[in-house]
Amino acid sequence: MSYLVNRALVATSLCAATLLGSTAVQAQSPQEESSPTKYLRVSRDKDNKPETLETAVVSFAPKSGAKNVTVDLVGAIHIGDEAYFDTLNRLFQDYDVVLYEMVKPKDVTPQRGSKDRQQTPLALVQRMLPSMLDLSFQVDSVDYTPENFVHADLTPTELGEAMRKRGETRMSLFIKVVKEVMQQYQEEWATGGSLSGNVSDAEILSFLTRKEGAQQLKAMIAGKLEELGPDMGLGATLDSILIVDRNEAALKVLKEQLANRKNGKPLRIAIYYGAAHMSDMASRLTKDFQMQQGDISWVQAWDITRASKRSALEGLLQLLQQPQ
């Protein structure tokens, strides 16, 4: 697969993996106060071929040594195997509170597998990548209805207001994001290199029509997401709007939950947010909440070795044929 196809597919997958939630165990020894370098990792076989993509669950507790409060950062990737979301649904039952991300009106509770979201063009775009990769979409698979789930994100109105406070409009935001992406790869583009090769329509069609293509694409995306590290390559503008503003909203709700704790009662809180949010979130827990990092465990999100039931093209066509 040529570099140009790789770049285009990675750009699509990165947007999906980090933005879908915005509409979107192997134990290790305790760490130092600094946050872990990765909230996503890829396990590989002896030949260095990707086998699984995994997301981190990172535990924090008060530096004072108090044992009755824990805050776990549950890093999310918003498309995954159905078994991944089943594991998360079981995991969330063990928490007193699950703070979750989703830019939505406060009075709307997402319903698992709701068909209404399939009516909009945005919903169609959100489901394109999981359909092509034979994966499930988070909002279709996570149960948001339990009483311990608490919305901890901005509403669409609040997100728009945050943009206005930063002097952003939709057009200025678009221009800044495109500029940052171009600057990020400027040296690569300027040198020509592998970008100079031509990609034929036949090559792309072959990739999309083979069942092995979905597995190859998952392996490529998983490796790129791991390589990008904790900031996920979002750029300064998207980092401010999608990470900083929303993390501030989430930790405001966390502060309220901690303040409402009664009589020193033990409290286990999960913050279920996209992996791109977690480096900043961990820093804030350390500095603003006087917490220290503890154990890290890992949850398998993708089984990259699993054979796809269909080609990427078949998955896309099946999505397009659904009733509108």
Side-chain angles (χ1 to χ4, degrees):
M1 185 58 57
S2 72
Y3 182 87
L4 184 58
V5 174
N6 177 68
R7 177 63 67 199
L9 291 174
V10 166
T12 302
S13 66
L14 178 59
C15 289
T18 57
L19 305 184
L20 280 182
S22 304
T23 329
V25 178
Q26 270 176 288
Q28 297 180 349
S29 59
Q31 305 291 310
E32 298 297 328
E33 291 185 356
S34 60
S35 63
T37 56
K38 296 180 180 178
Y39 288 87
L40 290 173
R41 74 177 184 184
V42 177
S43 66
R44 302 175 184 273
D45 63 16
K46 58 183 179 61
D47 298 319
N48 204 37
K49 292 182 178 180
E51 291 187 312
T52 64
L53 176 67
E54 301 170 336
T55 61
V57 179
V58 184
S59 185
F60 286 79
K63 293 179 181 179
S64 64
K67 302 295 185 181
N68 56 355
V69 174
T70 58
V71 176
D72 288 355
L73 298 182
V74 182
I77 185 167
H78 303 303
I79 56 175
D81 292 331
E82 191 63 34
Y84 169 57
F85 295 115
D86 289 341
T87 298
L88 291 180
N89 284 326
R90 290 192 298 270
L91 177 67
F92 293 145
Q93 294 175 10
D94 295 332
Y95 290 95
D96 300 297
V97 179
V98 177
L99 305 182
Y100 70 92
E101 67 167 328
M102 187 175 294
V103 178
K104 68 174 188 65
K106 289 191 179 297
D107 58 349
V108 173
T109 299
Q111 299 297 315
R112 188 177 184 182
S114 171
K115 302 300 180 183
D116 293 341
R117 290 185 298 273
Q118 296 177 3
Q119 306 293 331
T120 68
L122 177 58
L124 179 66
V125 171
Q126 288 175 330
R127 282 162 176 74
M128 286 180 65
L129 194 64
S131 295
M132 292 172 65
L133 296 182
D134 195 18
L135 295 171
S136 298
F137 181 37
Q138 173 180 311
V139 180
D140 293 332
S141 301
V142 171
D143 184 4
Y144 290 91
T145 61
E147 292 184 359
N148 64 336
F149 269 62
V150 176
H151 183 238
D153 206 335
L154 299 174
T155 66
T157 300
E158 290 169 340
L159 183 60
E161 181 60 28
M163 288 175 57
R164 284 190 290 273
K165 286 182 178 179
R166 295 180 183 276
E168 301 288 0
T169 65
R170 291 183 181 182
M171 180 57 69
S172 68
L173 175 63
F174 175 78
I175 292 173
K176 282 187 177 181
V177 170
V178 171
K179 182 178 179 181
E180 287 169 5
V181 170
M182 291 180 68
Q183 288 175 337
Q184 186 174 356
Y185 299 110
Q186 183 177 17
E187 181 178 349
E188 204 166 28
W189 290 348
T191 57
S194 54
L195 278 173
S196 59
N198 293 321
V199 184
S200 68
D201 291 344
E203 182 183 1
I204 297 174
L205 184 61
S206 174
F207 180 80
L208 292 175
T209 54
R210 289 181 291 109
K211 287 186 178 180
E212 312 89 76
Q215 282 179 273
Q216 293 172 351
L217 181 55
K218 280 193 287 188
M220 182 177 65
I221 292 171
K224 180 56 65 175
L225 291 175
E226 182 185 47
E227 176 188 324
L228 287 170
D231 64 359
M232 306 297 282
L234 290 177
T237 301
L238 285 181
D239 182 76
S240 295
I241 294 173
L242 296 178
I243 304 299
V244 175
D245 291 341
R246 296 173 61 209
N247 280 7
E248 288 177 354
L251 295 182
K252 179 180 178 182
V253 178
L254 172 63
K255 187 175 295 185
E256 293 170 354
Q257 292 293 325
L258 293 173
N260 290 336
R261 186 167 66 102
K262 298 178 180 179
N263 301 322
K265 180 181 177 181
L267 185 62
R268 290 196 67 202
I269 297 177
I271 302 180
Y272 179 45
Y273 255 72
H277 290 259
M278 292 312 188
S279 180
D280 176 72
M281 197 86 76
S283 296
R284 291 172 185 268
L285 288 179
T286 300
K287 296 174 183 177
D288 301 338
F289 289 80
Q290 295 300 299
M291 290 189 165
Q292 60 187 0
Q293 184 180 306
D295 291 338
I296 305 174
S297 59
W298 294 88
V299 182
Q300 180 177 306
W302 298 358
D303 178 1
I304 299 172
T305 66
R306 177 175 60 87
S308 297
K309 300 175 183 177
R310 63 199 180 204
S311 69
L313 184 59
E314 287 173 328
L316 182 58
L317 291 175
Q318 183 175 330
L319 174 67
L320 295 174
Q321 290 170 0
Q322 291 180 358
Q324 297 299 309

